[in-house]
């Protein structure tokens, strides 16, 4: 049957011909038309296939990034009518200042396009935004639509925070607090605390000042203004009692030892203290908190009446305490203490109730994480659970107006949604409806919610919605056309039984498009880690997974022991059990995958970074043959060299010496499968030395393995320019070589 346009053309050119010729010609045209249409369809199919096949590693790491610029955390105006954020439209460099109405209906770029990238945002009043760009503060007026340079600040300023009243802002520079006065345009140094870092190379997790106002190596607050603007509570971190550890810099003119402050389990940790600064006089009072070398400061917050709440936890996570310093008092009052020996890495957070009499805090007292309220005046009555005990609360409490907001996994373990709870009574209500991960930022009056959303195939974008729920309005559209015009693979979420106990395990699976019946496909587990069976965008890892799927691999991620969403027992079995029961979870997952008709049981690999690298190498050494190929990136292979904060999972050599004998080199003789180590020499979190020692033992044992290193890469190699492209390329080529997947040539940057 001829399409209408083809039929009209045939009629136009044959209308005056005799019937016999017309009949023959129609048959010939029909014959050639059929071949032409078929050819066109084949060409179209080939074109589509070629377009999909053209995705390369270079595409993933090109500049500008395929996924564009991720919008920053939104910052609300004090009257809740607007919020501001930094972002750039697809393909544009830098970060501009963008402003949206509360409902997301009106969004505009409000900064000068020639100004430096926006690094920090505060509101001076409902009409005026002050932002940090380069070494200057800029002032943006919404009503006048004027964006102009306000004043200069000290080079390296960060952590900008507006003073109550809006005429001054504090910031941190070189470990000290500074004050910028908008009227006089003068900068005043408020403290003399900062001491420069030992490290001559300013990169790596532990290249930190000897002493500073700021967060700890892994967590902690910075500083906060009191409601009347007369005081500032700040977090002081002193690292001078930690041991000095060399991380040689081979890229210096001569090899530089490059010492940093870094402890090991059982060592004294950094000293963390809370100080209260009188802004006018400069006097500082330090709070008498217990064991500052063994307790981290989770957070501190001022009540409307000027009381200070301080939230601390031991580095082991065993003990948690809440203190209150009443306005005008000098002695802390302990209002709650929670102790549990089985507790490990955990989530904490706290805030004041709007009445200034109660504290709301996140805790794991029950089977699931929940939010609890405790009255400061009668703490002996104990905490009261506010949230639904059937699922985990996944964020610290956020209070806006008379509404409590929080993130939770009430829909399923794979998703994170925002919930609201009216503090005057009632049940929690789900606010967000987009499937995936949602991170929320409510307006001060609690009536509106800005949130960042992502899922398996969509990088984070900013949305706005009424806090009562309903349809959300998308604010940003970040990816380049080269991303949005491609087809990306959504994940499936499956469950299967554990082979060693009664748990039901959960996994996330990505499959190649148009899988052929009867064909068996290779499987890659990774990147492996806890909390990976999640419907969210994971940056470079997600891009690499998508490329691997296009190359013909099935990708699997498993929520092994230690993951949230399955109850306290499942989570805490990870304590003292690294590379143990969680490997059994992967063995159960392999058995499940091998039961599927389209899986090739002889082509299964595993890879991961950090603890994911640990899982990879220990799986090959503890269960030879479970995986045919493994890639261990930045793998922690010797617990003696874990960090001081890792006492939350392994405790210390003094208390649990047997755990510290679980070195990978003790099992080196078991290596039978293909193994590739990936490591950055400037990795302060997992010292390169530990992998080098394991490699030496494998060589002595006569084992064959491979190595890819990067001279200047840190523990965060997967996000570092040049190193990400190079090392991900090595990982892919290794799997292609040993799992015999269809090899797609990686284009060079010059092609």
């Amino acid at each position: 049957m001829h399409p209408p346009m083809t039929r009209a053309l045939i009629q136009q050119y044959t209308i005056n011909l005799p019937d016999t010729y017309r009949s023959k010609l129609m048959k010939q045209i029909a014959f050639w038309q059929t071949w032409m249409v078929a050819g066109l369809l084949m060409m179209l199919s080939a074109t589509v296939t070629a377009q999909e096949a053209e995705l390369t590693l270079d595409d993933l790491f090109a500049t500008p990034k395929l996924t564009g610029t991720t919008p920053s955390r939104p910052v609300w105006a004090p009257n809740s009518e607007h919020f501001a954020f930094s972002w750039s439209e697809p393909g544009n460099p830098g970060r501009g200042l963008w402003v949206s109405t509360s409902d997301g209906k009106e969004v505009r770029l409000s900064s000068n396009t020639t100004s430096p990238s926006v690094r920090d945002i505060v509101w001076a009043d409902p009409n005026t935004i002050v932002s940090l760009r380069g070494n200057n503060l800029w002032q943006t007026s919404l009503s006048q639509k004027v964006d102009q340079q306000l004043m200069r600040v000290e080079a390296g300023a960060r952590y900008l925070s507006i003073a109550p009243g809006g005429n001054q802002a504090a910031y941190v520079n070189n470990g000290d607090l500074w004050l910028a006065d908008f009227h006089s345009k003068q900068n005043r140094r408020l403290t003399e605390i900062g001491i420069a870092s030992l490290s001559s190379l300013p990169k790596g997790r532990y290249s930190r000042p000897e002493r500073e106002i700021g967060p700890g190596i892994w967590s902690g607050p910075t500083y906060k203004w009191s409601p009347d603007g007369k005081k500032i509570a700040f977090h002081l971190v002193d690292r001078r009692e930690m041991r000095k550890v060399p991380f040689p810099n081979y890229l210096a003119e001569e090899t530089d030892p490059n010492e940093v402050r870094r402890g090991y389990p059982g060592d004294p940790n950094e000293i963390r203290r809370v100080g209260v600064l009188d802004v006018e006089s400069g006097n500082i009072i330090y709070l008498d908190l217990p064991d500052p070398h063994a307790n981290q400061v989770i957070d501190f917050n001022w009540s409307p009446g000027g009381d200070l709440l301080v939230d601390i936890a031991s580095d082991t996570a065993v003990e948690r305490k809440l203190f209150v310093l009443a306005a005008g008092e000098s002695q802390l009052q302990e209002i709650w203490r929670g102790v549990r020996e089985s507790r490990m890495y955990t989530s904490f957070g706290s805030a004041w109730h709007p009445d200034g009499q109660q504290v709301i805090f996140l805790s794991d007292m029950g089977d699931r994480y929940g939010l609890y309220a405790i009255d400061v005046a009668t703490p002996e009555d104990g905490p009261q659970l506010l949230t639904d005990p059937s699922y985990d609360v996944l964020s610290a409490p956020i209070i806006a107006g008379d509404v409590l907001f929080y993130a939770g996994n009430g829909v399923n373990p794979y998703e994170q949604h925002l919930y609201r709870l009216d503090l005057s009574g009632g049940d929690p209500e789900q606010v967000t409806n987009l499937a995936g991960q949602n991170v929320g930022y409510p307006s001060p009056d609690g009536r509106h919610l800005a949130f960042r959303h992502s899922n398996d195939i969509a990088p984070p974008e900013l949305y706005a919605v009424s806090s009562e729920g309903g349809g959300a309005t998308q604010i940003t559209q970040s990816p380049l056309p080269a991303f949005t015009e491609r087809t990306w693979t959504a994940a499936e979420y499956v469950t299967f039984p554990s082979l060693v106990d009664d748990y039901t395990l959960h996994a996330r699976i990505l499959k190649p498009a148009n899988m052929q019946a009867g064909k068996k496909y290779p499987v890659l587990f990774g990147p492996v880690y806890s909390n990976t069976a999640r419907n969210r965008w994971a940056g470079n890892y997600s891009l690499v997974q998508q490329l691997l799927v296009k190359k013909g691999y099935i990708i699997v991620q498993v929520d092994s022991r230690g993951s949230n969403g399955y109850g306290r027992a499942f989570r805490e079995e990870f304590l003292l059990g690294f590379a143990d029961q969680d490997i059994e979870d992967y063995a159960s997952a392999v058995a499940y995958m091998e039961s599927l008709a389209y899986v090739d049981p002889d082509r299964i690999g595993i890879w991961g970074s950090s603890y994911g690298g640990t899982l990879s190498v220990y799986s090959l050494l503890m269960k030879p043959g479970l995986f045919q190929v493994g890639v261990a990136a930045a793998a922690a292979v010797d617990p003696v060299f874990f960090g001081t904060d890792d006492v939350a999972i392994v405790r210390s050599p003094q208390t649990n010496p047997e755990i510290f004998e679980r070195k990978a080199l003790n099992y080196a003789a078991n290596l039978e499968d293909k193994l590739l180590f990936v490591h950055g020499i400037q990795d302060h979190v997992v010292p390169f030395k530990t992998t080098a020692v394991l490699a030496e033992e494998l060589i002595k044992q006569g084992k064959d393995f491979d190595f890819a290193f990067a001279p200047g890469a840190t523990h965060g190699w997967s996000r570092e320019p040049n190193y990400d492209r190079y090392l991900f390329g090595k990982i892919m080529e290794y799997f292609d070589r040993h799992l015999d997947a269809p090899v797609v040539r990686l284009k060079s940057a010059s092609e």
Side-chain angles (χ1 to χ4, degrees):
M1 189 172 180
H2 303 301
M5 184 177 293
T6 303
R7 190 163 55 243
L9 288 171
I10 292 172
Q11 289 174 348
Q12 177 182 344
Y13 287 99
T14 61
I15 191 168
N16 295 320
L17 292 174
D19 291 344
T20 53
Y21 285 96
R22 183 183 296 114
S23 176
K24 289 181 179 179
L25 184 58
M26 290 290 290
K27 289 180 180 179
Q28 291 175 350
I29 290 174
F31 173 82
W32 288 110
Q33 179 191 357
T34 300
W35 276 101
M36 184 167 61
V37 171
L40 286 170
L41 290 173
M42 291 174 65
M43 289 172 61
L44 181 61
S45 175
T47 300
V48 171
T49 302
Q51 288 176 343
E52 294 294 328
E54 286 174 359
L55 182 68
T56 68
L57 204 60
D58 285 323
D59 294 329
L60 269 52
F61 297 102
T63 301
K65 193 84 169 176
L66 272 178
T67 50
T69 300
T70 300
S72 74
R73 176 181 64 89
V75 182
W76 281 93
N79 64 357
S80 300
E81 292 184 4
H82 296 85
F83 59 85
F85 58 97
S86 69
W87 181 64
S88 63
E89 292 180 297
N92 291 346
R95 282 182 172 271
L97 175 66
W98 291 75
V99 179
S100 171
T101 52
S102 59
D103 58 6
K105 301 299 183 184
E106 298 179 27
V107 185
R108 70 173 185 269
L109 176 64
S110 298
S111 59
N112 187 320
T113 56
T114 63
S115 69
S117 288
V118 173
R119 294 192 286 118
D120 224 337
I121 300 169
V122 294
W123 289 81
D125 58 53
N127 180 63
T128 309
I129 300 170
V130 175
S131 56
L132 180 60
R133 309 179 208 171
N135 295 328
N136 290 282
L137 297 181
W138 287 65
Q139 182 174 282
T140 308
S141 170
L142 300 191
S143 59
Q144 299 178 10
K145 297 184 179 179
V146 174
D147 182 60
Q148 60 188 2
Q149 190 169 305
L150 175 62
M151 64 175 289
R152 194 164 183 80
V153 293
E154 293 295 312
R158 55 180 180 163
Y159 303 123
L160 186 68
S161 177
I162 201 77
N167 295 320
Q168 298 174 312
Y171 60 89
V172 174
N173 180 59
N174 290 331
D176 278 303
L177 273 172
W178 288 73
L179 190 66
D181 187 276
F182 301 158
H183 294 312
S184 68
K185 307 294 191 294
Q186 296 297 309
N187 292 280
R188 178 162 67 99
R189 184 174 175 178
L190 297 178
T191 63
E192 295 185 2
I193 288 172
I195 300 176
S197 172
L198 286 177
S199 175
S200 57
L201 183 65
K203 66 188 307 184
R205 171 70 69 168
Y206 289 85
S207 287
R208 307 289 286 274
E210 288 280 85
R211 188 175 66 188
E212 66 173 329
I213 291 174
I217 290 171
W218 290 102
S219 64
T222 303
Y223 69 93
K224 293 178 183 178
W225 287 91
S226 65
D228 60 9
K230 295 181 178 180
K231 297 179 180 179
I232 297 176
F234 63 85
H235 187 223
L236 181 145
V237 185
D238 192 333
R239 304 182 176 96
R240 291 175 295 173
E241 292 186 12
M242 300 177 74
R243 72 167 77 192
K244 297 178 182 180
V245 179
F247 285 85
N249 176 15
Y250 294 104
L251 299 180
E253 186 172 347
E254 291 289 345
T255 301
D256 180 2
N258 188 37
E259 289 185 321
V260 302
R261 297 285 186 180
R262 189 200 190 279
Y264 303 135
D267 282 357
N269 206 343
E270 53 191 358
I271 294 173
R272 293 143 294 185
R273 305 178 69 188
V274 175
V276 179
L277 167 74
D278 184 294
V279 177
E280 184 63 30
S281 69
N283 291 333
I284 297 174
I285 297 174
Y286 288 99
L287 305 188
D288 186 20
L289 293 168
D291 300 324
H293 65 281
N295 286 285
Q296 58 181 304
V297 178
I298 302 299
D299 203 358
F300 44 71
N301 287 289
W302 295 94
S303 75
D307 297 340
L308 183 62
L309 167 68
V310 182
D311 187 345
I312 73 170
S314 62
D315 289 332
T316 61
V318 168
E319 195 168 40
R320 168 97 178 279
K321 297 178 181 179
L322 297 175
F323 295 93
V324 170
L325 179 68
E329 298 291 330
S330 59
Q331 295 296 316
L332 288 167
Q333 174 195 2
E334 182 182 304
I335 63 169
W336 179 77
R337 175 186 301 191
V339 179
R340 191 171 70 254
E341 290 294 333
S342 64
R343 188 184 287 130
M344 45 154 271
Y345 279 147
T346 188
S347 299
F348 293 136
S350 54
W352 283 98
H353 189 286
D355 64 12
Q357 302 300 314
Q358 299 179 77
V359 169
I360 298 175
F361 63 100
L362 176 65
S363 178
D364 57 352
M365 284 184 281
D367 185 56
R368 300 301 187 103
Y369 285 112
L371 293 176
Y372 295 79
I374 189 168
D375 194 294
V376 174
T378 57
E380 63 274 7
D381 292 343
Q384 302 298 314
L385 179 64
L386 300 176
T387 50
D388 190 330
S390 67
Y391 61 85
D392 287 299
V393 172
L394 301 175
S395 71
I398 308 170
I399 299 173
D402 292 321
V403 181
L404 169 63
F405 292 88
Y406 61 91
N409 54 13
V411 173
N412 60 53
Y414 324 123
E415 297 185 24
Q416 175 176 306
H417 286 277
L418 276 302
Y419 298 81
R420 55 164 285 151
L421 175 64
D422 194 322
L423 290 172
S424 61
D427 297 323
E429 299 175 355
Q430 184 179 329
V431 180
T432 54
N433 294 303
L434 298 175
Q437 184 184 61
N438 302 282
V439 180
Y441 307 89
S443 62
D445 63 8
R447 298 176 58 192
H448 305 279
L449 182 74
F451 67 96
R452 282 191 293 194
H453 165 78
S454 74
N455 60 38
D456 287 323
I457 58 174
E461 300 287 9
L462 201 56
Y463 289 76
V465 68
S466 166
S467 69
E468 301 289 339
T473 300
Q474 185 170 346
I475 306 297
T476 58
Q477 181 67 44
S478 302
L480 303 182
F483 181 92
T484 57
E485 291 168 2
R486 292 185 183 274
T487 301
W488 304 98
T489 303
E492 300 174 11
Y493 294 84
V494 302
T495 61
F496 50 90
S498 165
L499 299 181
V500 296
D501 50 36
D502 294 331
Y503 286 121
T504 295
L505 301 175
H506 298 247
R508 172 180 182 264
I509 301 178
L510 287 80
K511 299 176 183 176
N514 304 317
M515 292 176 65
Q516 301 174 18
K519 182 177 178 179
K520 292 185 179 293
Y521 292 82
V523 175
L524 288 182
F525 282 80
V528 294
Y529 213 87
S530 57
N531 300 309
T532 54
R534 299 290 187 268
N535 186 2
R536 66 188 175 198
W537 187 260
N540 285 346
Y541 284 137
S542 287
L543 286 171
V544 168
Q545 286 181 330
Q546 292 288 338
L547 181 53
L548 287 167
V549 170
K550 290 181 183 297
K551 289 162 65 68
Y553 293 98
I554 296 171
I555 305 300
V556 183
Q557 290 180 290
V558 180
D559 271 357
S560 54
R561 313 295 160 111
S563 296
N564 293 330
Y566 312 106
R568 192 167 75 187
F570 186 80
R571 184 177 70 248
E572 292 188 349
E573 282 191 17
F574 185 61
L575 176 64
L576 304 177
F578 85 93
D580 186 13
Q581 288 295 98
D582 48 2
I583 292 180
E584 296 296 342
D585 293 337
Y586 283 93
S588 297
V590 168
Y592 169 75
M593 294 303 297
E594 289 179 342
S595 71
L596 304 176
Y598 49 80
V599 167
D600 187 340
D602 296 322
R603 293 191 293 163
I604 300 180
I606 184 172
W607 72 282
S609 189
S610 191
Y611 185 69
T614 304
L615 277 171
S616 300
V617 67
Y618 275 82
S619 293
L620 267 59
L621 298 180
M622 305 294 280
K623 286 186 175 292
L626 180 64
F627 299 100
Q628 285 73 54
V629 185
V631 176
V637 296
D638 187 345
V640 170
F641 290 88
F642 286 8
T644 46
D645 294 273
D646 288 326
V647 294
I649 58 170
V650 294
R651 299 306 190 237
S652 72
Q654 294 78 20
T655 61
N656 295 85
E658 73 284 358
I659 301 302
F660 292 84
E661 292 302 316
R662 200 183 298 165
K663 306 170 187 284
L665 62 81
N666 291 337
Y667 314 103
N670 296 338
L671 182 64
E672 299 175 359
D673 308 294
K674 297 297 181 181
L675 171 61
L676 169 67
F677 289 111
V678 170
H679 220 119
I681 293 180
Q682 287 305 315
D683 186 342
H684 296 177
V685 179
V686 178
F688 177 78
K689 163 189 169 54
T690 57
T691 296
V693 170
L694 174 57
E696 178 72 6
E697 180 62 25
L698 289 169
I699 292 170
K700 290 179 179 178
Q701 296 273 357
K703 301 298 181 179
D704 185 34
F705 63 96
D706 295 277
F707 216 127
F709 68 91
T714 71
H715 196 63
W717 65 269
S718 62
R719 300 181 302 274
E720 296 175 349
N722 302 319
Y723 296 127
D724 51 8
R725 162 64 181 84
Y726 173 74
L727 294 175
F728 275 123
K730 291 297 182 183
I731 292 171
M732 287 192 181
E733 290 170 350
Y734 201 73
F735 284 127
D736 285 348
R737 188 188 325 148
H738 295 296
L739 294 183
D740 195 28
V743 177
V744 177
R745 185 176 67 88
L746 302 177
K747 291 183 179 180
S748 68
S750 62
E751 289 183 291

